[in-house]
Amino acid sequence: MPAKDNSSSHRSEDYDLQIGDTIPYYESFHDETLNMVKTILKEPKIWLDTGCGTGTLVNKAVQEFDTTSFILSDPSPEMLNLAREKLSNQTKRLRILNPNETSNISLGNDLKPDVITAIQAHHYLSKEERTETTKVCYDLLRDDGVYITFENIRPKTEEGIRVVKEYVKNYQLKRGRDEETVNNFLKRFDVEFFPIKVEEHISLLEKTGFKVVELFWMSYMQAGFYCIK
């Protein structure tokens, strides 16, 4: 099997087919993000999706927001190529940045997104890297702009960790993944991705400077937060 070409547990070409068998309710992350943007901003002018993957979120968003311009960023060239192909009929409202980590994105002082989204994008980072990356998103955003992030979360207790791992294992097995693949995925916990508790997410976002920080979605090992600058 060819080596992975991104930080997830899937090759880029397999990502869309496999992610729903890996993370429960994954499609809801995108749907709830769109609903939250509609609720707060109605029709944003500029939307940056960092860690955009294959462009699935933006592909949904262009159908819902008629005048919004979208900027896509991801560290993986292969992911960006798939996003470019998926969104080939939307080039007039689309700008795809060169492959880059969120912490290295630069848009210029005259370009301030109304919305920045980071959906399952930053949980591979260390504590220091996560702090730096969150601050970059804050600085890029316009005043009163909205930052929405979905991230892996850490249960409060060791027993909670055991239970959620067992839940995810059963979910993936029922979705047709073999036991070896499932066990290898669970071994990535605290090795390849580094979940933090909900309270730690909220504290980080508040310390970054956001005037509003709210949890609006939680399911087993993932949570969604919206923030207003």
Side-chain angles (χ1 to χ4, degrees):
M1 179 181 292
K4 290 194 292 96
D5 48 27
N6 64 90
S7 297
S8 78
S9 60
H10 316 285
R11 291 177 300 166
S12 297
E13 63 190 76
D14 301 325
Y15 189 86
D16 286 349
L17 292 174
Q18 296 181 357
I19 189 63
D21 295 332
T22 304
I23 299 179
Y25 306 111
Y26 180 76
E27 288 189 3
S28 295
F29 301 174
H30 294 155
D31 295 339
E32 293 304 320
T33 296
L34 299 182
N35 289 338
M36 188 56 67
V37 172
K38 288 178 185 176
T39 300
I40 301 174
L41 288 180
K42 310 303 182 189
E43 187 77 25
K45 293 180 180 178
I46 302 172
W47 182 330
L48 167 63
D49 185 31
T50 184
C52 68
T54 65
T56 299
L57 174 62
V58 173
N59 193 41
K60 292 181 178 180
V62 294
Q63 312 302 323
E64 302 286 342
F65 300 91
D66 296 332
T67 62
T68 303
S69 296
F70 295 91
I71 303 170
L72 282 75
S73 178
D74 197 275
S76 167
E78 290 80 9
M79 287 287 202
L80 290 175
N81 286 336
L82 290 168
R84 189 175 287 108
E85 181 179 347
K86 185 179 291 184
L87 293 156
S88 59
N89 62 339
Q90 298 290 343
T91 54
K92 291 183 179 180
R93 289 202 284 149
L94 204 66
R95 175 185 172 190
I96 298 180
L97 303 180
N98 291 329
N100 224 335
E101 302 287 345
T102 303
S103 58
N104 294 323
I105 294 175
S106 178
L107 299 177
N109 294 330
D110 58 339
L111 185 60
K112 291 286 188 180
D114 306 274
V115 175
I116 297 178
T117 46
I119 310 302
Q120 293 297 115
H122 297 153
H123 53 281
Y124 306 107
L125 303 178
S126 67
K127 181 178 180 180
E128 294 74 18
E129 290 169 334
R130 191 192 300 268
T131 299
E132 177 187 359
T133 297
T134 304
K135 181 63 164 58
V136 168
C137 291
Y138 179 88
D139 290 341
L140 289 170
L141 198 64
R142 73 159 172 83
D143 290 345
D144 297 316
V146 178
Y147 175 57
I148 297 178
T149 183
F150 274 76
E151 286 291 348
N152 289 353
I153 54 173
R154 185 183 200 87
K156 292 183 177 181
T157 63
E158 289 302 313
E159 178 64 8
I161 292 173
R162 186 196 68 78
V163 169
V164 80
K165 283 184 174 181
E166 187 67 17
Y167 173 87
V168 171
K169 179 177 181 176
N170 291 336
Y171 172 83
Q172 292 189 7
L173 289 173
K174 287 180 180 179
R175 294 290 292 243
R177 307 191 90 193
D178 64 83
E179 189 155 0
E180 181 181 4
T181 299
V182 174
N183 288 334
N184 286 337
F185 172 81
L186 293 173
K187 288 177 182 177
R188 300 173 73 231
F189 190 98
D190 276 347
V191 175
E192 292 185 33
F193 63 86
F194 306 94
I196 61 176
K197 298 174 184 176
V198 167
E199 295 82 1
E200 293 177 284
H201 280 290
I202 292 173
S203 176
L204 168 61
L205 293 164
E206 289 177 340
K207 288 179 179 178
T208 300
F210 289 104
K211 63 185 179 184
V212 175
V213 176
E214 297 288 352
L215 169 71
F216 75 104
W217 172 274
M218 188 166 69
S219 60
Y220 301 101
M221 204 184 285
Q222 284 77 35
F225 306 85
Y226 75 84
C227 312
I228 301 176
K229 181 175 177 179

